[in-house]
Amino acid sequence: MMNFLICSFFMLLLFMLMFFFSVFLNLMDLSYMLEWLLFNFNSLNMEIFILIDWISCLFISVVMMISSMILLYSMVYMKNEIYLNRFLILLSLFILSMVVMIISPNLISILLGWDGLGLSSYCLVIYYQNYSSYNSGMVTVLCNRIGDVGLLMAVGLMFMVGSWNMYFLSNDFFLILLMVFLASITKSAQIPFSIWLPMAMAAPTPVSALVHSSTLVTAGIYLMIRYMKFFYGGMIIKLLFYLSVFTMFMSGLMANFENDLKKIIALSTLSQLGLMMMILSLGLGLVAFFHLIIHAIFKSLLFMCAGVMIHLMDSNQDIRYSGKLNEFIPFTMMSFYVSNLSLMGFPFLSGFYSKDLIMELMYLMNINLLLLILMLLSLSLTVSYSLRLIYSIFFSQIKGKSFYYYSENLLMNFSMMFLMSLSLISGSLLMWLFFFDNYFLLMDIFVKLITMIMLIFGVIIFMGFFFKNLLKLYFYSYFFSSMWFMNYLYVMLYKNFLIISLKFYIMDKSWVEFMSKNLLLNLFKDSIYYYNFFKIFMFILIVLFFMLLLWMVS
């Protein structure tokens, strides 16, 4: 437990230092680039870059702040865990990988952080070591490996440029940009790679609060923000716009029919990721980063509140069995209210400042009418599933056991109250300090009221379809809640690859056994009694290979 306290204090200190440093860099309009040359080969330089500007410092400060609060939260949530130090090491490895990726403008160092994120997140998803965790971990790692392969191919293709520094890129390198785009949409779970994010909820709740709400899933968006100027005006950015709008709509629709508490919050994360990618694809990278920072704060708080409810309800995650919790856990209820209202974009909470700005900027752009309608419907669906969640947990009748013993923990409450206060003030604070202090949009009053009308429409959807169950939508809920059958698509795709890789594994294993035991140890002994031409042939082939290798090196 002392290790958790020390790490949490250290990260909180880093949060304060990096935040003030980012304010300083922004006010002074400064950025620093540190470069180490490791070696060069045929005029290709292998360098390590560190980019320190206000964007990277602000993102690191938010990651450190959320991590420190989640470590305090984990002291209570995971106190009965046997291998607690292993959990702390995995979380620390994840945070370190995230920091490495944030400060890297170089594809090689980005790859180090990227693969560190993938490995540590896989280990955290399968932490509970049961069938559901292994299944979810396999889907997570297979989806993310597609993006990792894209990044590896981008590293290979950058040989054409002569450097792995991203500032040597241009719009002409379409294939490299396509690979970076593939890496980004897999990590941020856009269609058709959306299936892994709800399945990753098999991880412990502190992991979901840190990894699957605020850091890992935003790594792809952060990468796209850094590479954004190379994508402008191309076909890839148009494809990203379509994918992000459909991701928003699909996840919002599915969240209205889901009953698992953590999966509903995961789908709301997916919806917000689609919103960030959508505004990013319209060329407004700074606005997307603004929403990314604010979303990280209130969404991690939402997961922490869900963890308290799950913990107190005997590990029950079904919202149909919970109710009247506002009488027993008032601090958690208050934090949950604030984070949910911030998610909906309630006026003058943190989410309002970024979401309202995004919607206003979207109205001023030349956008396809059908896609605009889908965006506005996604906005209404966000309000609908948030109200459904609040109603089910706090106002419906309690079901299940006849007696519950509820109690709140002071340490958990402190971490949630800290994030709740930031959820109240972070929107206005960040807007005044960093973003758009002199931003002014002029539009017609009826256009301005479209957002408010769609929010009211979301309340009508909640009251009509779910409170009164009009149109009997639950008859069709299987289609709405099945991720548009993407999981079956992955079963069809991955099954053949897994069978082929198993055959290669068996062949590889037999070759290794043959090389180490049968060939090298028994070759001379066997040749006395009988001639195994195959073994002799393999031995001669290996000797020739090593001779050729020595000749090439010399």
Side-chain angles (χ1 to χ4, degrees):
M1 290 295 178
M2 187 57 68
N3 294 337
F4 276 83
L5 273 176
I6 293 168
C7 289
S8 179
F9 177 75
F10 177 69
M11 287 177 185
L12 202 56
L13 192 64
L14 270 177
F15 151 64
M16 294 167 66
L17 287 173
M18 296 303 287
F19 181 76
F20 288 120
F21 191 50
S22 65
V23 173
F24 170 75
L25 290 175
N26 185 44
L27 290 175
M28 302 301 291
D29 198 17
L30 291 173
S31 61
Y32 297 98
M33 177 85 80
L34 308 178
E35 176 186 354
W36 283 273
L37 177 64
L38 297 182
F39 66 88
N40 61 344
F41 175 72
N42 288 349
S43 77
L44 183 72
N45 293 334
M46 174 62 189
E47 299 157 325
I48 294 294
F49 283 93
I50 293 178
L51 175 62
I52 299 173
D53 61 350
W54 71 269
I55 291 179
S56 57
C57 290
L58 181 60
F59 199 16
I60 289 172
S61 71
V62 170
V63 169
M64 288 298 168
M65 181 268 298
I66 292 171
S67 304
S68 65
M69 291 300 108
I70 283 169
L71 285 176
L72 286 178
Y73 179 85
S74 302
M75 285 175 62
V76 181
Y77 194 89
M78 307 288 287
K79 65 181 178 181
N80 295 324
E81 179 59 44
I82 300 172
Y83 304 108
L84 202 57
N85 284 332
R86 181 193 298 172
F87 181 75
L88 179 60
I89 289 166
L90 283 172
L91 274 184
S92 304
L93 177 66
F94 175 84
I95 295 161
L96 178 66
S97 303
M98 192 70 201
V99 171
V100 169
M101 201 219 76
I102 288 169
I103 61 176
S104 301
N106 183 296
L107 269 180
I108 296 290
S109 43
I110 283 175
L111 188 66
L112 291 174
W114 198 265
D115 271 344
L117 288 175
L119 175 65
S120 52
S121 65
Y122 172 68
C123 294
L124 287 165
V125 168
I126 64 167
Y127 188 79
Y128 283 142
Q129 299 183 19
N130 52 36
Y131 177 79
S132 174
S133 297
Y134 288 141
N135 188 24
S136 303
M138 184 57 68
V139 173
T140 301
V141 78
L142 285 175
C143 279
N144 282 296
R145 283 319 284 173
I146 298 172
D148 298 347
V149 168
L151 209 56
L152 281 167
M153 290 179 73
V155 168
L157 289 166
M158 285 286 277
F159 269 97
M160 295 187 298
V161 188
S163 172
W164 286 295
N165 188 357
M166 71 179 187
Y167 294 113
F168 284 94
L169 278 177
S170 68
N171 294 330
D172 302 331
F173 299 107
F174 174 77
L175 202 54
I176 297 174
L177 296 176
L178 185 64
M179 293 300 129
V180 172
F181 165 74
L182 183 66
S184 299
I185 63 168
T186 50
K187 199 66 88 176
S188 55
Q190 302 299 300
I191 284 178
F193 306 107
S194 305
I195 190 66
W196 71 266
L197 187 58
M199 293 193 74
M201 292 301 109
T205 306
V207 174
S208 301
L210 176 65
V211 176
H212 303 121
S213 68
S214 53
T215 51
L216 174 77
V217 290
T218 55
I221 295 169
Y222 183 79
L223 190 67
M224 285 295 289
I225 290 169
R226 285 297 193 193
Y227 279 80
M228 201 61 228
K229 63 180 181 181
F230 309 118
F231 287 97
Y232 282 152
M235 188 191 72
I236 296 174
I237 208 73
K238 294 176 183 175
L239 178 63
L240 178 64
F241 180 67
Y242 287 105
L243 291 180
S244 58
V245 170
F246 282 113
T247 304
M248 279 175 65
F249 182 69
M250 182 265 298
S251 52
L253 193 62
M254 186 178 168
N256 279 290
F257 292 90
E258 183 62 59
N259 293 311
D260 190 311
L261 175 59
K262 281 177 71 175
K263 283 191 177 178
I264 292 172
I265 303 174
L267 289 164
S268 77
T269 302
L270 192 55
S271 178
Q272 299 305 304
L273 291 172
L275 181 66
M276 292 177 218
M277 279 292 195
M278 182 267 296
I279 199 68
L280 183 64
S281 63
L282 294 174
L284 299 165
L286 203 60
V287 184
F289 183 68
F290 182 35
H291 189 58
L292 185 152
I293 296 293
I294 289 173
H295 170 260
I297 295 169
F298 69 72
K299 190 51 67 72
S300 53
L301 174 62
L302 202 57
F303 266 113
M304 288 163 80
C305 297
V308 172
M309 295 169 202
I310 293 165
H311 211 58
L312 296 177
M313 301 280 291
D314 287 341
S315 301
N316 171 45
Q317 294 182 202
D318 198 323
I319 60 172
R320 292 172 294 186
Y321 289 98
S322 58
K324 295 290 184 186
L325 294 183
N326 54 338
E327 298 176 8
F328 305 101
I329 44 174
F331 285 105
T332 307
M333 178 205 75
M334 192 160 53
S335 303
F336 192 84
Y337 273 157
V338 169
S339 54
N340 235 327
L341 289 172
S342 186
L343 170 66
M344 286 189 276
F346 193 80
F348 309 116
L349 294 181
S350 60
F352 165 77
Y353 287 93
S354 57
K355 290 187 82 170
D356 188 62
L357 181 63
I358 286 171
M359 298 310 290
E360 287 180 4
L361 288 167
M362 199 177 64
Y363 299 146
L364 296 174
M365 291 190 174
N366 189 12
I367 296 175
N368 186 333
L369 182 61
L370 176 62
L371 294 176
L372 183 63
I373 290 169
L374 281 179
M375 287 177 215
L376 293 171
L377 278 175
S378 305
L379 194 69
S380 302
L381 291 170
T382 302
V383 176
S384 175
Y385 66 69
S386 299
L387 288 175
R388 174 174 174 256
L389 200 55
I390 291 172
Y391 175 78
S392 300
I393 289 172
F394 294 124
F395 297 107
S396 65
Q397 291 300 318
I398 195 164
K399 307 169 192 71
K401 291 185 179 179
S402 58
F403 175 75
Y404 283 108
Y405 175 69
Y406 298 104
S407 65
E408 291 185 308
N409 185 277
L410 185 62
L411 206 56
M412 279 182 161
N413 282 345
F414 172 75
S415 58
M416 286 191 290
M417 285 292 152
F418 188 85
L419 285 174
M420 188 192 77
S421 59
L422 281 176
S423 295
L424 289 169
I425 65 169
S426 61
S428 53
L429 184 69
L430 288 174
M431 180 167 269
W432 294 335
L433 283 176
F434 296 101
F435 305 92
F436 325 117
D437 51 348
N438 54 357
Y439 219 84
F440 183 74
L441 293 174
L442 186 63
M443 60 177 66
D444 191 80
I445 183 66
F446 297 109
V447 178
K448 176 69 178 171
L449 285 174
I450 291 175
T451 308
M452 189 60 67
I453 292 166
M454 294 313 291
L455 294 178
I456 295 168
F457 183 61
V459 177
I460 294 169
I461 291 175
F462 160 69
M463 293 180 68
F465 290 171
F466 304 110
F467 199 56
K468 295 293 185 183
N469 197 15
L470 297 177
L471 302 182
K472 305 294 182 186
L473 272 181
Y474 284 102
F475 288 128
Y476 315 104
S477 63
Y478 180 71
F479 174 75
F480 289 127
S481 61
S482 61
M483 267 317 213
W484 290 352
F485 305 105
M486 270 189 283
N487 45 358
Y488 298 107
L489 172 70
Y490 274 95
V491 168
M492 290 167 57
L493 288 176
Y494 282 139
K495 186 178 178 182
N496 299 322
F497 283 107
L498 288 173
I499 291 169
I500 293 167
S501 61
L502 182 63
K503 292 185 185 299
F504 274 109
Y505 168 72
I506 293 168
M507 187 176 74
D508 191 35
K509 188 177 175 184
S510 60
W511 269 76
V512 171
E513 292 289 324
F514 171 75
M515 291 279 293
S516 60
K517 188 195 294 185
N518 296 337
L519 178 62
L520 298 177
L521 297 178
N522 300 327
L523 178 65
F524 297 106
K525 184 179 72 174
D526 290 348
S527 61
I528 297 171
Y529 298 104
Y530 56 90
Y531 292 101
N532 191 330
F533 293 104
F534 183 63
K535 289 184 179 179
I536 294 172
F537 171 74
M538 285 301 301
F539 179 73
I540 294 169
L541 188 65
I542 290 163
V543 169
L544 287 172
F545 173 74
F546 278 109
M547 287 174 65
L548 182 65
L549 192 65
L550 286 169
W551 177 75
M552 287 175 67
V553 171
S554 62

